[in-house]
Amino acid sequence: MNIKLIALDVDGTLVDSSHIYISERNKLALRRCAEQGIEIVLASGRPMALIEPVAKELGYVKYAISANGSAVWDRHSHERIVSREISPDIAEKILSVVLKYPIALEVYCEGRAWVDHNWTVERFEKMPQQFLQMRNEYNRHCNDLYKEVSGKTVEKFNVDGMPRVMFDEIMEQLQPIRDELAIQYIECYDNMEINNRLATKGEALKGLCTLLGVESFEVMAFGDSENDVSMLKYAGESYAMENGEQAALESAKHIAKKNTEDGIAEAIEKYLLQS
């Protein structure tokens, strides 16, 4: 199998349920791939600031895809080499709607999450507290979120703990600009994500591969969620985690063991590292 690049989702795929811990077996398998010259790429819904600790722990990651494909980062130069962000005028229209609600909104901008006083760790019931504390440390806290974000391009709007009824209300109000956006609602976390409609992990990965001279059949990808589907469909060898959402399971060519059972390592050991 002639694989030149491995693209990895982070939460639900590479890390365990803590959203922080990477198993030693996964790290070793990926290190062996990197030593063979295979590019290891992280592809996450997180902002770059929250991908960075994972990349540092692995130690051999040069490129990362952030915010569901809104940006591709070169970690060595700290530059975005591919960008598909929400324009300032559309971002301001979204803000004018969502800020009417008492929600903990994160606006991914300039590689980190910008938040206001509504964002507190106590608001999140379905996320591990240690991970929330880490998120809080990397957040940029704003006195006036609308004022400070206005005029800037936005990578992603993210809300956890949003009831379905509130999501439906917001969708109705965003209808005039709906065609400009990619919007997901993740039921298990009561989570809403809003991106530029062209921002997908698959398109970001394709853009990076074009720059690196890598063909899709030379790519292996791992993911677990709906936001991984485009990446799984692009990769020549794709794996959905056994713990993944149905959309991911139906889109991948193979099923890997759960993220809590070293699913990445087992697949890599079996198909790439056999002596």
Side-chain angles (χ1 to χ4, degrees), residues 5-10 12-13 43 65 200-206 216-217 219-256 264:
L5 185 150
I6 299 175
L8 303 161
D9 172 52
V10 176
T13 301
I65 297 169
T200 68
K201 291 185 182 182
E203 283 299 313
L205 181 58
K206 180 180 178 180
S216 61
F217 64 83
V219 175
M220 177 180 283
F222 292 84
D224 75 304
S225 298
E226 184 177 344
N227 65 1
D228 296 313
V229 167
S230 60
M231 178 173 73
L232 295 173
K233 288 183 176 180
Y234 174 77
E237 294 295 328
S238 56
Y239 292 81
M241 311 309 290
E242 188 180 356
N243 53 282
E245 297 175 4
Q246 192 62 32
L249 294 168
E250 291 175 354
S251 300
K253 293 181 179 178
H254 312 283
I255 305 299
I264 290 173

Side-chain angles (χ1 to χ4, degrees), residues 156-220:
K156 187 176 88 168
F157 291 88
N158 185 72
V159 182
D160 287 312
M162 171 179 281
R164 182 78 201 204
V165 63
M166 187 183 295
F167 170 76
D168 291 339
E169 287 181 16
I170 289 174
M171 287 304 93
E172 185 174 345
Q173 295 176 67
L174 292 179
Q175 194 59 40
I177 57 172
R178 184 67 179 82
D179 290 344
E180 302 290 330
L181 307 172
I183 302 175
Q184 297 184 74
Y185 185 75
I186 303 173
E187 203 83 44
C188 63
Y189 291 119
D190 296 332
N191 169 261
M192 178 184 74
E193 299 181 336
I194 303 177
N195 286 93
N196 180 308
R197 66 181 178 84
L198 300 178
T200 68
K201 291 185 182 182
E203 283 299 313
L205 181 58
K206 180 180 178 180
L208 175 60
C209 287
T210 298
L211 291 173
L212 298 178
V214 175
E215 300 291 341
S216 61
F217 64 83
E218 297 172 313
V219 175
M220 177 180 283

Side-chain angles (χ1 to χ4, degrees), residues 111-137:
R112 66 176 58 244
W114 298 36
V115 302
D116 64 11
H117 63 278
N118 283 316
W119 201 103
T120 61
V121 170
E122 291 73 24
R123 292 184 65 104
F124 299 85
E125 298 178 354
K126 297 184 178 182
M127 300 290 285
Q129 289 299 301
Q130 186 179 0
F131 178 57
L132 287 171
Q133 292 290 352
M134 184 180 78
R135 283 170 63 176
N136 191 41
E137 291 173 10

